[in-house]
């Protein structure tokens, strides 16, 4: 993307939309709105598409960001799609926040709700594997 204020970089690979978040902090209402505006039309156009959200650059996120993830997951699964979150656990080896996003999901008990992988490669493998039994 050419926009230096872009919130995410989108790549489409076969039937998977990969959304790489570009900001270290995903906390402002404006950023969440940008994400909604970016993904909303894509989700409406594609009925059974799969999404991966790459958190490799994100250190911190707000409750609004969690709400965005929950809404996105619900919308995708209701249309037969899937959402996998990746790169939440080990981002910046020297940073005290390197596991913050993953720990936050654990604290609010969403780590079992979302499909989470450590790497983008694992996310691509997971998204093409059969759904785990519910």
């Amino acid at each position: 993307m050419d926009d230096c204020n872009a919130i995410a970089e989108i790549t489409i690979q076969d039937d998977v939309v990969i959304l790489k978040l570009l900001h270290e902090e995903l906390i402002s209402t404006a950023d969440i709105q940008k994400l909604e505006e970016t993904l909303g039309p894509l989700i409406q156009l594609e009925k059974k598409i799969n999404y991966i959200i790459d958190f490799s650059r994100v250190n911190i996120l707000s409750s609004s960001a969690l709400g965005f993830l929950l809404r996105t997951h619900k919308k995708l699964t209701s249309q037969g799609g899937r959402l996998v979150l990746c790169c939440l656990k080990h981002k910046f080896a020297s940073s005290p926040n390197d596991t913050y996003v993953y720990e936050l999901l654990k604290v609010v008990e969403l780590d079992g709700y979302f499909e989470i992988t450590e790497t983008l490669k694992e996310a691509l493998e997971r998204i093409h594997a059969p759904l785990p039994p519910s």
Side-chain angles (χ1 to χ4, degrees):
M1 297 183 127
D2 293 334
D3 182 1
C4 64
N5 292 322
I7 187 78
E9 178 180 283
I10 297 174
T11 308
I12 300 175
Q13 187 174 330
D14 300 321
D15 66 338
V16 180
V17 174
I18 302 167
L19 184 77
K20 182 173 186 165
L21 300 173
L22 300 176
H23 294 190
E24 288 184 12
E25 296 180 347
L26 189 54
I27 54 177
S28 79
T29 304
D31 286 347
I32 306 305
Q33 278 185 297
K34 278 186 189 177
L35 282 174
E36 301 258 13
E37 291 167 3
T38 301
L39 275 186
L42 284 172
I43 293 172
Q44 297 293 41
L45 288 174
E46 301 291 339
K47 289 298 177 200
K48 286 180 89 173
I49 196 134
N50 300 306
Y51 285 77
I52 295 172
I53 300 180
D54 180 342
F55 282 84
S56 58
R57 293 188 183 177
V58 178
N59 280 328
I60 215 163
L61 52 97
S62 67
S63 59
S64 296
L66 289 176
F68 161 77
L69 291 173
L70 289 166
R71 287 188 301 279
T72 301
H73 181 269
K74 183 177 180 180
K75 183 169 257 185
L76 286 172
T77 56
S78 73
Q79 294 177 331
R82 247 168 123 175
L83 175 65
V84 175
L85 310 180
C86 73
C87 306
L88 294 131
K89 293 185 181 180
H90 306 288
K91 295 182 294 300
F92 306 103
S94 62
S95 168
N97 294 327
D98 74 339
T99 61
Y100 176 83
V101 175
Y102 181 70
E103 293 299 322
L104 177 63
L105 290 175
K106 280 177 48 176
V107 166
V108 296
E109 299 182 353
L110 291 174
D111 58 319
Y113 181 76
F114 292 110
E115 291 186 73
I116 298 172
T117 64
E118 288 194 35
T119 66
L120 179 57
K121 181 181 180 212
E122 290 172 10
L124 286 164
E125 290 169 359
R126 169 83 60 91
I127 214 134
H128 289 109
L131 277 170
S134 40

